[in-house]
Amino acid sequence: MQKNLKCLNSEPLLSAWRIINENAKGFVFIIDENNVLKGIITDGDIRRFMLEGGNINEAVRNVVSDKFVYADEDATADELLKMVNHRIKVVPVVDKDFKLKDYFEYKSDFRIPVAQPELNGNELKYLTDALLSTWISSSGHYLNRFEQEFSNYIGTEYGLAVSNGTVALQLALLALDIGKGDEVIVPDLTFAATINAVLYTGATPVIVDIEEQSWCIDPDEIKKAITEKTKAVIPVHLYGQPADMDKIMKIADEYNLGVIEDAAEAHGAKYNGKRAGSFGDISCFSFFGNKVITTGEGGMCLTDNAELLEKMKILKNHGMSKSKKYWHDVVGYNFRMTNLQAAVGVAQLERIDTILREKQKIEDNYKSALGNIEEIIFQSEITGRNKIIWLVSALVKERRDEFIDFMQSEGIDIRPMFYPLSEMPVYKDYTYSNHNSRKLSKMGINFPTNSAVNQKVYDKVSRLCRDFFNYK
Ligand SMILES: *Cc1c(COP(=O)(O)O)cnc(C)c1O
């Protein structure tokens, strides 16, 4: 046993503090002259003692608590593991005379983040190539390639790269001439960018409820919320699950509404064999760092409509006339992506099927690790819809928040699902319906979904979940 882990109980607290400072462990065992264990003191204990007006020269024996966790010499590794929890990470081991022999320290210092980009393909090569070519700004052949290859992949005629997914939505709305006085229907459960983009245009968002099974916008609720002012609807393919596009397109036809798909979380998902993002008038993707593929920041608008494409091209580039340089017919924006970002995007796109396959494997593995824990319900598989895994998503039937805190304290970055827009003061006045979204968002979680998640992590998550929900 390391030397500087013990302190005599006759010593002043200051000595214990010095030892902790030296050993950099955050704790010290307190013993008497015969090496009999008297307790354990942590730097937190000393801090609390001092904050309550304690004296640093007080003898350790007057400060140390006689209630502490310890193990016998013959304890098995399994028994030791059961003694640790989110507060107790160190267990002293004593012989039959209660002399300190050893200790067990549980380290959960490896942290598993929720998402991490995969950049181990041609990203660096293409980025270097773009850099050396000096085409580092908003034109260049990687931009053309990225637009063509991504729109090909999703199955649309045209692609237009932009600076992020939020402005992709804004640009799509502007191209459909949506502005003040118009209403745009959005789902209650989504990332806030969906509704923010509507608000930027001056139009009024109308928040409607989601389907219980898919967590995506409910077509029946869309229909009910339509008024004379309704101009468009933005279905979101949430957490990789496609919205019910057949029903939505039918309603849009009937009421003459524009459809903008928010596919920021669903690169590659399919609905009746067609890719999400190939149904609406315009679809919008994000290539933010935590999305299925990334360009750092970035986004794209896809469409089959050449007229809409032309409009978006002009609006994206300051509204400048195509035929007359520095002549502006409309007030435009700078929503451009750089060739450097597109270079990363092209390399990412080369590997998208592999990335998606690996993500699917992660869900499969969580499912087999947690299969018989009935408090955890994984995202549904729905006939006719092929969801992709962006982040492995599930509902927790009870004590969701407590579960997240517990997993976080053990280094597993479990995240809560989005809050319903209708619950936030800035958006709640736009609410039409929100029954399912309120219920489900309180239960939803995302598991870490990246290549650092290995069998050790599945085992750990499985053990922690079994602990938490009292499974043997
Ligand atoms: C990420 C995301 C966006 C916004 O994308 P950014 O590139 O971050 O602007 C929009 N909608 C949804 C549903 C998203 O998840």
Side-chain angles (χ1 to χ4, degrees):
M1 195 169 149
Q2 201 178 319
K3 226 173 39 232
N4 57 356
L5 284 174
K6 300 181 199 174
C7 177
L8 279 174
N9 63 349
S10 54
E11 292 279 329
L13 198 54
L14 183 60
S15 304
W17 204 5
R18 285 209 171 108
I19 295 170
I20 291 175
N21 189 47
E22 266 168 43
N23 70 23
K25 285 284 199 188
F27 65 87
V28 62
F29 296 115
I30 307 304
I31 51 166
D32 68 9
E33 310 76 49
N34 300 316
N35 196 33
V36 170
L37 180 66
K38 293 294 176 185
I40 174 169
I41 282 186
T42 67
D43 49 4
D45 294 335
I46 298 175
R47 195 170 54 240
R48 277 184 292 276
F49 178 76
M50 298 299 293
L51 284 172
E52 281 160 20
N55 184 342
I56 196 70
N57 292 313
E58 185 74 50
V60 166
R61 67 157 62 85
N62 299 330
V63 178
V64 68
S65 162
D66 56 0
K67 289 194 187 63
F68 57 92
V69 173
Y70 63 92
D72 295 327
E73 263 181 313
D74 52 3
T76 64
D78 220 35
E79 286 167 334
L80 288 168
L81 261 176
K82 285 205 177 98
M83 291 180 179
V84 300
N85 57 37
H86 61 287
R87 273 186 311 111
I88 295 166
K89 304 278 186 213
V90 180
V91 180
V93 176
V94 295
D95 67 9
K96 60 180 183 345
D97 300 320
F98 222 75
K99 289 189 177 173
L100 181 61
K101 285 292 173 193
D102 205 348
Y103 70 101
F104 173 76
E105 188 177 14
Y106 179 75
K107 286 210 176 93
S108 63
D109 53 355
F110 75 111
R111 213 182 146 65
I112 298 299
V114 73
Q116 215 170 34
E118 302 287 325
L119 302 168
N120 42 11
N122 284 322
E123 285 80 0
L124 186 60
K125 185 174 154 197
Y126 295 168
L127 187 57
T128 310
D129 180 44
L131 190 86
L132 293 177
S133 76
T134 75
W135 289 90
I136 61 168
S137 200
S138 42
S139 36
H141 82 274
Y142 284 110
L143 271 168
N144 300 336
R145 266 187 74 183
F146 191 39
E147 289 175 341
Q148 261 166 33
E149 289 171 14
F150 190 71
S151 55
N152 253 346
Y153 179 78
I154 298 299
T156 62
E157 208 58 44
Y158 311 108
L160 187 69
V162 293
S163 18
N164 58 63
T166 310
V167 301
L169 290 164
Q170 189 182 348
L171 190 59
L173 288 158
L174 293 167
L176 295 175
D177 292 321
I178 285 162
K180 203 166 175 349
D182 299 330
E183 288 177 0
V184 178
I185 297 175
V186 299
D188 193 25
L189 198 63
T190 179
F191 181 61
T194 316
I195 191 168
N196 284 345
V198 176
L199 290 166
Y200 300 155
T201 68
T204 305
V206 177
I207 298 169
V208 306
D209 203 8
I210 54 165
E211 296 177 322
E212 180 147 24
Q213 198 189 10
S214 72
W215 312 343
C216 296
I217 196 164
D218 183 341
D220 295 333
E221 293 300 307
I222 296 177
K223 207 161 174 175
K224 284 191 236 161
I226 292 171
T227 71
E228 236 123 73
K229 295 181 180 165
T230 310
K231 283 281 164 60
V233 54
I234 310 183
V236 179
H237 308 299
L238 197 75
Y239 296 113
Q241 180 83 272
D244 194 344
M245 290 316 294
D246 267 0
K247 284 194 187 161
I248 293 168
M249 295 312 291
K250 232 173 250 154
I251 295 167
D253 265 357
E254 190 181 341
Y255 293 89
N256 196 25
L257 308 179
V259 176
I260 297 169
E261 293 178 73
D262 182 341
E265 304 176 1
H267 315 59
K270 284 182 181 166
Y271 178 93
N272 286 342
K274 262 182 76 177
R275 289 232 154 90
S278 64
F279 292 86
D281 297 288
I282 301 171
S283 67
C284 301
F285 285 82
S286 166
F287 307 112
F288 179 63
N290 71 3
K291 300 292 158 89
V292 172
I293 59 170
T294 183
T295 58
E297 294 273 1
M300 204 181 290
C301 293
L302 302 184
T303 185
D304 289 330
N305 184 322
E307 214 176 301
L308 288 176
L309 177 76
E310 276 318 301
K311 244 165 134 178
M312 291 195 286
K313 273 187 180 172
I314 290 167
L315 285 166
K316 158 190 164 175
N317 189 23
H318 298 292
M320 207 186 305
S321 163
K322 284 244 155 168
S323 49
K324 202 166 157 188
K325 194 86 179 157
Y326 304 126
W327 185 265
H328 300 258
D329 297 313
V330 286
V331 179
Y333 304 81
N334 175 355
F335 287 164
R336 297 178 306 232
M337 179 188 265
T338 68
N339 197 43
L340 294 173
Q341 292 167 296
V344 174
V346 168
Q348 286 269 286
L349 190 56
E350 287 175 348
R351 301 188 330 106
I352 188 168
D353 289 329
T354 313
I355 291 172
L356 288 172
R357 226 176 301 125
E358 279 164 11
K359 281 180 179 284
Q360 183 57 57
K361 245 188 262 159
I362 296 175
E363 191 198 47
D364 295 345
N365 288 334
Y366 276 119
K367 277 185 174 170
S368 39
L370 306 177
N372 57 347
I373 298 180
E374 63 174 43
E375 284 83 355
I376 298 175
I377 308 158
F378 286 90
Q379 195 181 16
S380 301
E381 303 291 342
I382 303 173
T383 315
R385 306 191 208 185
N386 298 99
K387 72 173 167 70
I388 54 102
I389 301 300
W390 171 44
L391 298 173
V392 174
S393 306
L395 301 177
V396 180
K397 274 203 212 159
E398 54 190 60
R399 296 192 291 153
R400 196 270 317 247
D401 292 349
E402 211 186 309
F403 176 71
I404 293 175
D405 287 348
F406 170 70
M407 297 299 275
Q408 285 279 352
S409 74
E410 296 288 345
I412 307 285
D413 194 7
I414 301 256
R415 296 282 176 88
M417 190 179 260
F418 298 127
Y419 294 101
L421 297 174
S422 63
E423 279 185 9
M424 293 180 249
V426 281
Y427 305 122
K428 71 174 183 5
D429 291 349
Y430 306 113
T431 308
Y432 177 81
S433 59
N434 62 2
H435 175 81
N436 289 336
S437 55
R438 289 188 68 125
K439 185 173 86 180
L440 297 180
S441 82
K442 288 189 185 70
M443 301 163 71
I445 56 166
N446 300 119
F447 286 96
T449 312
N450 62 71
S451 60
V453 181
N454 55 22
Q455 194 54 47
K456 242 166 94 183
V457 176
Y458 300 123
D459 291 346
K460 179 173 174 175
V461 169
S462 165
R463 181 170 55 74
L464 292 171
C465 290
R466 267 161 236 284
D467 258 15
F468 187 83
F469 292 113
N470 294 314
Y471 279 72
K472 290 280 166 259

